[in-house]
């Protein structure tokens, strides 16, 4: 009843509110003032338009919120009017705002009766976005800006507002949802769906979310040629595709603000996201290798022993990670000398072995650590309205969170980490608990109420560290592992991982679409804890006989009979993630930890990761240039193939690879759909197969199904043990069947010099008609092409 009455009021408002003024200011922003509302259309590029609506004039005119760095640009935009519409258009978008006019259909008497008792919160608005050739992109049919009230169950949010804070409203907008529209993105949502259609999304940082901890990136990309960025950091619920409409509702705001990005391809939409929220810098090259971690290496000797184990076996690995509880107290910013007698010497030894090191830093401070009193005195801890720092007592005794939305606190936090942690030789930082772990609703940041700015902490927190690296350590690229994300976090050199997931087959299956939606949100560098983070159950007996014998790994896997199989399948999948990182709460977590049958398979994929390093690192360079992720759900690359709209367990890894992980226990084959519009080569057998069909592929325990798209160039590197070793191009594999291009990039792997043009860029082109490879730019190999180039199927 409530939903029905509100939609009627929106329509009534649309048809009855008189237009008062229409103006176009000097910068070509279109502003429409009607009775009780202001509508603003503000362009940022020919294919990017921001829409703002508010019942408060000044709020409608205010700039975008946190996360955005793009600036308005009205070049090529113009306005016009018809009897029915105000029109604002460019060469890419026509935005039509319906003007007030008499209704073509008289109201039913029941509508008039309902309106006596149930009233909407705004006069309403109807805005349609099309392309110049008439293709409809998006249609907004109504919006709301409601005061907190008991009927909607929102009255309590006023308890989270101080008398000096601006008024709270609950805000939202409603859009038409055609039956064939599909929705991707929106951060980490672990329910296991790819297409969000028909599945409500709770878009906020929620460690206690039902399937697994979630994080929010309010950016949606669809198959209809547009992306939508919702400009509101409070808790937001998206209801995609219900009742032929999609609704966005944010708990707190003073306006509706969103961006529409039109794109003929997904890459064009991601270029718009890049323009608005910032580029994705290249990470240190080591980050594209293998990151070895567990919960936790408890001493300097243990870290060195594990590193030596990799080198003694001549296995490639690049980063050793020191997780939490290395300190004497939470927030003490020290390393317990009983277990870490000389961290600087440890780091030197690791560097000499070709390793870089990452260390976990927490935003929490307990009352008896050496910094708490200073932080409390300066008001640098997240606090309640009376200024008292929040904590998690009685169950969480890890102290209070620093408020890195406060610039002074952020600079202090970086400086303290720099002087006490990084000064010992560590290379990169693991920013754990970046939700923050103590939920901010009802507490306060420097920037305002935590309820209003619920989701922004990851952006500020990783930004404090990234800015510090850029300012004080400019020869070292920032690398920050973060549990959470928000719009723009990609510009901070952040890897986002999917938090504390379970070591189960069900979790593994759901991680595949989870990661695809996250990278579809415009943030490329996603990872998960290979094998799951939580402790293993004491026993697990699978329905099918385990494919790997666990008997010689019992000290590590206990009674979990099929865990070596699960870990091996997960490790194969991790080989084809933007970041390959092992982690978890097992006694040991190295490639030799899961039994003699698992070990050679894990080694095979570890070596494969490094063989693919020229390809993977070059993909990172392209992402910096374009903003487009290189791990992609199939509908982003094959939008015209309806069979991939909700295909959850296959994906593209760069332009060449189609990856089909095996996520069913006991399976030794699986069905793989090959998208239409291309031929495909089985990576392992080189068999060529037509697209647009499902094939059954052999997948013994040592094999993950992999296909390469016809018309691909795949550079393969020589075997190395670290990205710090010189790696040459060992093979350049051509998969014929279509023309192909690839940009091969290499540089020092550590500095930001590439941003000023440093590095080697070689453009490769394969002419399928001429059966010929050409290249422009610096030579990428010294041997003859005949010795390097391998044409598959020849």
């Amino acid at each position: 009843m409530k939903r029905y009455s509100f939609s009627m009021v929106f329509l009534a408002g649309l048809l009855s509110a008189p237009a008062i003024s229409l103006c176009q200011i000097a910068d070509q922003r279109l502003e429409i003032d009607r009775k009780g509302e202001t509508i603003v259309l503000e362009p940022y590029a020919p294919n990017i338009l921001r829409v703002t609506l508010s019942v408060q004039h000044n709020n409608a005119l205010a700039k975008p919120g946190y996360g955005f760095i793009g600036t308005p640009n009205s070049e090529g935009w113009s306005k016009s009017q018809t009897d029915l519409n105000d029109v604002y258009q460019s060469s890419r978008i026509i935005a039509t705002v319906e003007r007030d006019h008499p209704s073509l259909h008289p109201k039913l008497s029941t509508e008039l009766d309902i309106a006596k008792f149930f009233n909407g919160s705004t006069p309403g608005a109807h805005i349609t976005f099309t392309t110049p050739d008439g293709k409809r992109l998006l249609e907004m049919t109504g919006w709301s800006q409601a005061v907190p009230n008991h009927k909607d169950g929102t009255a309590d949010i006023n308890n989270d507002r101080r008398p000096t804070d601006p008024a709270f409203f609950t805000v939202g907008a409603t859009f038409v949802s055609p039956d064939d529209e599909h929705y991707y993105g929106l951060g980490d949502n672990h329910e296991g769906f790819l297409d969000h259609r028909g599945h409500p999304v709770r878009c906020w940082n929620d460690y206690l979310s039902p399937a697994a901890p979630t994080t929010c990136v309010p950016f949606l990309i669809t198959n209809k040629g547009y992306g939508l960025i919702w400009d509101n950091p409070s808790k937001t619920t998206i209801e995609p595709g219900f009742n032929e409409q999609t609704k966005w509702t944010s708990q707190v705001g003073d306006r509706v603000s969103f961006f529409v990005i039109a794109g003929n391809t997904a890459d064009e939409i991601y270029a718009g996201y890049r323009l608005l929220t910032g580029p994705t810098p290249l990470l240190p090259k080591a980050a594209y290798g293998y990151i070895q971690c567990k919960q936790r290496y408890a001493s300097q000797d243990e870290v060195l022993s594990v590193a030596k184990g990799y080198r003694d076996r001549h296995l490639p690995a690049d980063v050793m990670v020191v997780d939490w509880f290395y300190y004497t107290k939470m927030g003490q910013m020290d390393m317990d000398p009983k277990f870490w007698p000389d961290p600087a010497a440890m780091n030197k030894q690791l560097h000499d072995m070709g390793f870089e090191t990452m260390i976990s830093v927490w935003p929490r401070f307990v009352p008896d650590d050496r910094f708490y009193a200073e932080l409390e005195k300066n008001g640098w801890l997240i606090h309640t309205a009376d200024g008292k720092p929040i904590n998690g007592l009685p169950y969480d005794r890890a102290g209070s969170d620093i408020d890195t939305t406060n610039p002074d606190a952020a600079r202090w936090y970086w400086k303290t980490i720099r002087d006490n942690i990084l000064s010992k030789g560590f290379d990169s930082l693991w920013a754990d608990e970046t939700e923050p772990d103590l939920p901010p609703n009802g507490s306060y940041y420097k920037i305002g109420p935590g309820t209003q700015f619920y989701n922004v902490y990851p952006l500020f927190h990783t930004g404090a560290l990234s800015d510090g690296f850029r300012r004080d350590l400019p020869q070292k690229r920032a690398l920050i592992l973060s549990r959470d994300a928000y719009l723009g976090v990609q510009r901070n050199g952040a890897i986002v991982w999917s938090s504390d997931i379970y070591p189960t087959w069900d979790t593994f299956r759901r991680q595949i679409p989870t990661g695809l939606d996250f990278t579809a949100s415009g943030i490329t560098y996603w990872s998960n804890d290979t094998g799951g983070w939580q402790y293993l159950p004491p026993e697990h007996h699978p329905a099918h006989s385990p494919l790997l014998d666990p008997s010689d790994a019992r000290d590590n896997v206990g009674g979990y009979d099929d865990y070596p199989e699960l870990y091996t399948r997960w490790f194969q999948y991790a080989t084809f993630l933007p970041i390959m990182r092992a982690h978890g709460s097992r006694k040991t977590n190295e490639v030799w930890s899961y039994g003699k049958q698992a070990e050679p398979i894990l080694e095979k994929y570890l070596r494969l990761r490094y063989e693919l390093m020229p390809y993977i690192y070059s993909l990172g360079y392209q992402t910096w240039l374009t903003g487009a992720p290189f791990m992609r759900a199939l509908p982003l690359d094959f939008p015209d193939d309806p069979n991939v709209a909700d295909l959850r367990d296959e994906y593209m890894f760069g332009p060449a690879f189609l990856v089909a992980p095996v996520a069913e226990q006991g399976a030794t084959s699986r069905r793989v759909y090959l998208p239409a519009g291309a031929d495909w080569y089985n990576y392992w057998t080189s068999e060529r197969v037509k697209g647009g069909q499902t094939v059954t592929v052999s997948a013994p325990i040592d094999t993950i199904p992999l296909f390469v798209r016809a018309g691909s160039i795949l550079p393969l590197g020589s075997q190395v043990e670290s990205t710090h070793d010189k790696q040459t191009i060992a093979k350049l594999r051509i998969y014929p069947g279509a023309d192909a291009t690839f940009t091969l990039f290499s540089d020092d792997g550590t500095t930001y010099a590439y941003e000023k043009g440093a590095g080697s860029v070689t453009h490769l082109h394969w002419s399928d008609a001429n059966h010929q490879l050409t290249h422009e730019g610096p030579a990428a190999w010294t041997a003859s092409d005949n010795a390097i180039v391998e044409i598959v199927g020849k």
Side-chain angles (χ1 to χ4, degrees):
M1 177 63 186
K2 179 170 67 174
R3 292 175 185 263
Y4 173 79
S5 63
F6 268 70
S7 64
M8 290 300 100
V9 172
F10 287 151
L11 183 59
L14 169 66
L15 299 180
S16 62
I20 294 179
S21 68
L22 172 67
C23 65
Q24 189 175 29
I25 60 178
D27 67 356
Q28 297 288 297
R29 179 176 69 189
L30 180 64
E31 177 186 326
I32 302 171
D33 289 315
R34 291 178 174 162
K35 183 178 180 180
E37 69 178 356
T38 299
I39 303 171
V40 178
L41 306 182
E42 185 173 51
Y44 280 65
N47 67 323
I48 304 175
L49 187 64
R50 181 186 176 214
V51 179
T52 314
L53 308 97
S54 183
V55 297
Q56 299 160 315
H57 181 76
N58 289 339
N59 290 334
L61 303 181
K63 65 181 183 180
Y66 295 112
F68 296 95
I69 63 171
T71 56
N73 183 350
S74 60
E75 184 177 352
W77 285 83
S78 62
K79 73 160 187 174
S80 61
Q81 290 182 335
T82 69
D83 290 342
L84 298 179
N85 302 304
D86 297 309
V87 181
Y88 199 39
Q89 68 184 85
S90 70
S91 60
R92 299 298 306 280
I93 296 177
I94 299 176
T96 302
V97 184
E98 189 169 346
R99 301 182 73 190
D100 307 311
H101 57 81
S103 173
L104 300 177
H105 305 285
K107 296 184 180 66
L108 298 174
S109 61
T110 51
E111 292 180 80
L112 298 174
D113 291 340
I114 288 172
K116 296 175 184 177
F117 295 97
F118 300 100
N119 192 23
S121 60
T122 66
H126 186 188
I127 307 175
T128 303
F129 307 85
T130 61
T131 62
D133 61 3
K135 176 185 175 182
R136 178 161 298 191
L137 299 172
L138 182 65
E139 180 179 359
M140 192 195 86
T141 56
W143 72 287
S144 62
Q145 185 177 347
V147 297
N149 64 90
H150 289 285
K151 179 171 179 62
D152 292 334
T154 58
D156 287 349
I157 64 173
N158 266 336
N159 296 331
D160 298 345
R161 175 186 165 272
R162 298 164 298 194
T164 54
D165 292 322
F168 280 2
F169 299 89
T170 296
V171 297
T174 303
F175 303 90
V176 171
S177 178
D179 290 343
D180 61 345
E181 185 166 48
H182 306 288
Y183 306 94
Y184 312 101
L186 299 178
D188 262 343
N189 295 281
H190 295 257
E191 291 84 356
F193 308 112
L194 178 64
D195 180 8
H196 291 299
R197 185 177 188 88
H199 308 290
V201 176
R202 294 153 43 108
C203 194
W204 60 86
N205 300 324
D206 184 3
Y207 189 82
L208 301 178
S209 187
T214 61
T215 190
C216 176
V217 183
F219 171 42
L220 197 65
I221 185 169
T222 80
N223 63 320
K224 292 295 185 179
Y226 75 91
L228 188 151
I229 307 178
W230 185 255
D231 175 21
N232 186 300
S234 73
K235 286 186 174 182
T236 297
T237 300
I238 303 100
E239 301 170 38
F242 291 92
N243 304 313
E244 300 182 353
Q245 60 187 11
T246 292
K247 297 185 68 174
W248 295 69
T249 305
S250 291
Q251 189 176 50
V252 174
D254 53 25
R255 65 187 179 191
V256 163
S257 173
F258 61 90
F259 289 82
V260 178
I261 308 171
N264 295 320
T265 64
D267 282 6
E268 194 171 7
I269 295 170
Y270 288 119
Y273 180 85
R274 181 187 191 275
L275 184 149
L276 292 172
T277 67
T280 304
L282 267 171
L283 302 177
K285 193 171 185 179
Y288 300 90
Y290 176 63
I291 301 176
Q292 176 63 60
C293 184
K294 78 164 187 175
Q295 198 278 113
R296 62 188 164 91
Y297 294 122
S299 71
Q300 179 172 324
D301 287 344
E302 187 180 7
V303 171
L304 288 169
S305 175
V306 169
K308 187 173 183 297
Y310 277 91
R311 293 298 175 251
D312 287 348
R313 292 169 173 83
H314 299 290
L315 294 174
D318 259 278
V319 181
M320 289 296 303
V321 181
V322 176
D323 201 353
W324 61 346
F325 290 117
Y326 57 81
Y327 31 76
T328 56
K329 292 178 183 177
M330 180 71 76
Q332 193 75 356
M333 296 288 182
D334 64 355
M335 301 192 76
D336 190 334
K338 293 195 299 292
F339 305 103
W340 309 91
D342 195 342
M346 176 192 74
N347 279 310
K348 184 179 185 308
Q349 291 180 65
L350 291 167
H351 291 156
D352 289 345
M353 286 191 277
F355 283 96
E356 295 189 11
T357 52
M358 172 183 284
I359 187 166
S360 171
V361 290
W362 280 50
R364 304 284 290 276
F365 294 83
V366 295
D368 60 343
D369 72 40
R370 59 175 167 158
F371 298 117
Y372 185 92
E374 177 186 1
L375 294 170
E376 184 179 29
K377 178 182 130 183
N378 291 330
W380 289 350
L381 297 169
I382 302 172
H383 55 273
T384 52
D386 60 3
K388 182 179 178 181
I390 58 169
N391 60 55
L393 295 174
Y395 307 110
D396 178 335
R397 297 178 292 280
S400 301
D401 280 306
I402 190 169
D403 177 10
T404 41
T405 75
N406 184 320
D408 294 331
R411 282 191 292 268
W412 177 93
Y413 186 63
W414 159 256
K415 179 179 180 295
T416 303
I417 291 169
R418 181 197 67 195
D419 295 346
N420 292 276
I421 303 296
L422 291 174
S423 63
K424 293 178 170 62
F426 291 97
D427 300 287
S428 55
L429 297 171
W430 178 351
D432 210 337
E433 288 211 341
T434 44
E435 296 93 318
D437 193 46
L438 301 176
N441 51 298
S443 58
Y444 299 89
Y445 294 127
K446 173 71 173 179
I447 58 173
T451 302
Q452 181 177 359
F453 299 104
Y454 196 93
N455 288 319
V456 300
Y457 190 81
L459 174 66
F460 280 89
H461 198 71
T462 59
L465 303 176
S466 175
D467 291 348
F469 271 105
R470 289 268 189 175
R471 182 177 60 250
D472 298 343
L473 303 171
Q475 295 305 307
K476 185 185 291 289
R477 291 178 197 164
L479 176 62
I480 300 156
L481 179 61
S482 173
R483 191 156 78 186
D484 305 278
Y486 188 63
L487 297 167
V489 76
Q490 77 281 349
R491 65 178 182 259
N492 294 336
I495 300 167
V496 182
W497 97 96
S498 64
S499 195
D500 298 344
I501 54 176
Y502 279 83
T504 65
W505 290 95
D506 172 61
T507 296
F508 176 31
R509 280 189 292 274
R510 288 186 284 106
Q511 284 297 286
I512 302 169
T514 295
L516 296 177
D517 270 320
F518 187 88
T519 57
S521 308
I523 301 176
T524 294
Y525 295 118
W526 178 88
S527 79
N528 58 29
D529 294 345
T530 300
W533 183 83
Q534 303 286 354
Y535 291 93
L536 301 184
E539 291 188 14
H540 186 267
H541 306 297
H544 308 285
S545 296
L547 298 181
L548 294 173
D549 182 3
S551 60
D552 60 346
R554 288 297 184 191
D555 188 49
N556 193 29
V557 305
Y560 199 147
D561 292 347
D562 50 322
Y563 191 74
E565 179 188 345
L566 171 60
Y567 189 84
T568 297
R569 289 302 197 189
W570 207 318
F571 197 89
Q572 293 168 352
Y573 160 67
T575 305
F576 295 91
L577 294 179
I579 303 297
M580 185 182 188
R581 184 181 63 89
H583 189 43
S585 301
R586 277 83 68 188
K587 182 178 179 180
T588 55
N589 194 42
E590 296 72 51
V591 295
W592 54 87
S593 301
Y594 297 101
K596 291 301 182 184
Q597 291 186 357
E599 185 174 347
I601 305 172
L602 301 176
E603 290 184 3
K604 168 185 172 180
Y605 285 90
L606 193 53
R607 296 187 195 281
L608 177 58
R609 176 74 179 198
Y610 280 76
E611 186 180 20
L612 294 172
M613 187 58 62
Y615 175 75
I616 295 170
Y617 193 61
S618 298
L619 297 181
Y621 178 70
Q622 284 300 309
T623 291
W624 174 69
L625 291 176
T626 67
F630 58 83
M631 184 174 86
R632 300 157 72 98
L634 293 180
L636 300 184
D637 284 346
F638 303 95
D640 298 324
D641 188 339
N643 295 310
V644 303
D646 195 26
L647 191 54
R648 304 169 185 179
D649 61 352
E650 301 177 24
Y651 60 94
M652 295 299 294
F653 187 67
F657 280 108
L658 185 149
V659 185
V662 177
E664 297 293 333
Q665 192 276 318
T668 56
S669 66
R670 66 153 289 177
R671 289 164 60 81
V672 177
Y673 178 73
L674 301 174
D679 284 359
W680 299 88
Y681 289 85
N682 185 312
Y683 177 78
W684 304 110
T685 67
S686 297
E687 177 189 5
R688 184 169 171 175
V689 186
K690 288 286 184 185
Q693 63 173 316
T694 299
V695 295
T696 298
V697 183
S698 176
I701 186 59
D702 67 343
T703 302
I704 181 174
L706 286 176
F707 286 83
V708 180
R709 188 175 184 173
S712 293
I713 298 173
L714 183 62
L716 301 173
S718 59
Q719 284 295 323
V720 293
E721 294 183 13
S722 163
T723 57
H724 291 283
D725 296 340
K726 180 173 177 55
Q727 186 178 41
T728 61
I729 300 298
K731 286 291 179 185
L732 192 80
R733 197 170 287 168
I734 308 294
Y735 290 84
D739 289 347
T741 60
F742 191 81
T743 299
L744 189 61
F745 177 76
S746 63
D747 70 343
D748 60 33
T750 58
T751 74
Y752 289 105
Y754 71 90
E755 294 181 342
K756 298 180 180 178
S760 175
V761 180
T762 304
H763 300 286
L764 306 171
H765 176 72
W766 167 257
S767 170
D768 205 56
N770 298 327
H771 223 58
Q772 182 179 15
L773 177 77
T774 56
H775 32 96
E776 300 173 1
W781 51 85
T782 56
S784 68
D785 283 4
N786 288 338
I788 297 295
V789 177
E790 177 184 287
I791 301 172
V792 177
K794 182 176 178 181

